[in-house]
Amino acid sequence: MLTGKTALVTGSTSGIGLAIATTLAMNGARLMINGFGDTAAALAQVRQHDAGAVYHGADMSKPAEIADMVASCERLLGGCDILVNNAGIQHVAAVEDFPIGRWDAIIAINLSSAFHTMRAALPGMKKRNWGRIVNVASVHGLVASAGKSAYVTAKHGLIGLTKAAALESATTGVTVNAICPGWVLTPLVQKQVDARAATDGVSNDEAKHRLLAEKQPSLQFTTPEELAELVIFLCSPAAGNVRGVAWNVDGGWAAQ
Ligand code: NAD
């Protein structure tokens, strides 16, 4: 379905981003992946479906590296038709205890990076009159939780950025949307499960249940693969007039 299209997924060496990159490749797109950690394993996984997939190691807190990544994608793959802004980090603390460096990093990686990638990729998309931008926000872009001020601020901002960019491209073949997962069991969330298990003195399974029971009525984690399929839909012709939405996949979290 996406044969002939090129895709850049930020933060795609792990979790949700890796599932999105893999699923885009399975659907025929040519991929540039990005992120830290076991980059060779991530690239090998994507290359099972797109032998020509490439990796760029841009740090999403560094605007010059982001500009180089988008330019490299256009140069190496021939364009950047699909842009998924997924890279993200978390830190949990009350406002008065929040380390300034963690605040700055979360705003840079979870919010400003999407401005920098979109700024660089939109001209090519508009020139070709086709593009799909999917911003991986969060249910925390719609509602707040205590202890997550920087994350909630960044994700609310990302949804605002999504809406503004969607309006600016509304008469073109470029769509801009956000997806808003609830709890997804990735390394980012496993850290919070571990912290909860330690604080409450309970098992890993009980900590998972407690986290879900507080917020996510389905009592089930959303899976990275479910989110990847939503990205595929947003890239499909059927979604050509879906613009500026923030689509939650949160087991009912935001319906409460
Ligand atoms: P993860 O920790 O598994 O993956 C994060 C990815 O971002 C990794 O590839 C990591 O290397 C990359 N990354 C981190 N800092 C980076 C930087 N400075 N530059 C480049 N890459 C960087 O986390 P995940 O749960 O898969 O999260 C992916 C996205 O989904 C994030 O934006 C997160 O906020 C969002 N999200 C996650 C959940 C959840 O429950 N897991 C819920 C809602 C939204």
Side-chain angles (χ1 to χ4, degrees):
M1 184 184 87
L2 297 174
T3 305
K5 301 298 186 198
T6 57
L8 168 59
V9 185
T10 71
S12 46
T13 50
S14 167
I16 295 167
L18 180 56
I20 292 172
T22 305
T23 308
L24 285 167
M26 286 165 67
N27 280 268
R30 295 209 56 202
L31 262 293
M32 173 172 273
I33 68 165
N34 156 264
F36 304 146
D38 195 345
T39 57
L43 191 56
Q45 179 173 319
V46 175
R47 279 187 175 160
Q48 286 177 8
H49 309 284
D50 168 20
V54 294
Y55 167 79
H56 194 289
D59 181 334
M60 287 301 109
S61 65
K62 305 224 162 79
E65 295 185 20
I66 294 172
D68 183 67
M69 176 180 68
V70 175
S72 300
C73 185
E74 292 182 334
R75 192 175 65 248
L76 296 172
L77 302 185
C80 179
D81 300 317
I82 298 165
L83 168 65
V84 181
N85 288 305
N86 169 79
I89 57 169
Q90 177 63 285
H91 186 83
V92 182
V95 171
E96 61 272 32
D97 301 323
F98 218 90
I100 293 169
R102 286 291 83 201
W103 171 277
D104 289 343
I106 289 176
I107 299 301
I109 295 165
N110 296 18
L111 173 58
S112 299
S113 71
F115 161 73
H116 295 296
T117 55
M118 286 162 65
R119 186 174 179 278
L122 274 165
M125 290 180 177
K126 287 186 175 170
K127 200 168 152 201
R128 292 185 294 275
N129 200 33
W130 196 92
R132 293 287 186 268
I133 298 176
V134 181
N135 293 325
V136 182
S138 165
V139 69
H140 282 119
L142 303 167
V143 295
S145 292
K148 298 185 175 174
S149 56
Y151 190 87
V152 166
T153 302
K155 296 299 189 181
H156 274 70
L158 186 56
I159 291 176
L161 173 62
T162 302
K163 290 177 184 173
L167 293 180
E168 290 176 14
S169 53
T171 58
T172 75
V174 180
T175 71
V176 188
N177 293 291
I179 63 174
C180 300
W183 289 120
V184 187
L185 193 57
T186 64
L188 181 141
V189 161
Q190 185 59 50
K191 280 187 209 156
Q192 295 171 65
V193 172
D194 294 344
R196 185 64 182 260
T199 316
D200 292 7
V202 295
S203 69
N204 206 274
D205 280 350
E206 178 58 21
K208 284 180 195 159
H209 178 75
R210 288 185 185 188
L211 282 176
L212 287 169
E214 268 171 17
K215 301 280 187 183
Q216 196 145 307
S218 66
L219 299 178
Q220 288 174 32
F221 289 101
T222 296
T223 67
E225 291 71 25
E226 287 166 346
L227 296 167
E229 289 301 332
L230 178 55
V231 172
I232 298 299
F233 169 69
L234 290 172
C235 292
S236 74
N241 209 25
V242 179
R243 295 174 187 271
V245 305
W247 189 327
N248 37 321
V249 190
D250 62 358
W253 181 327
Q256 297 168 101

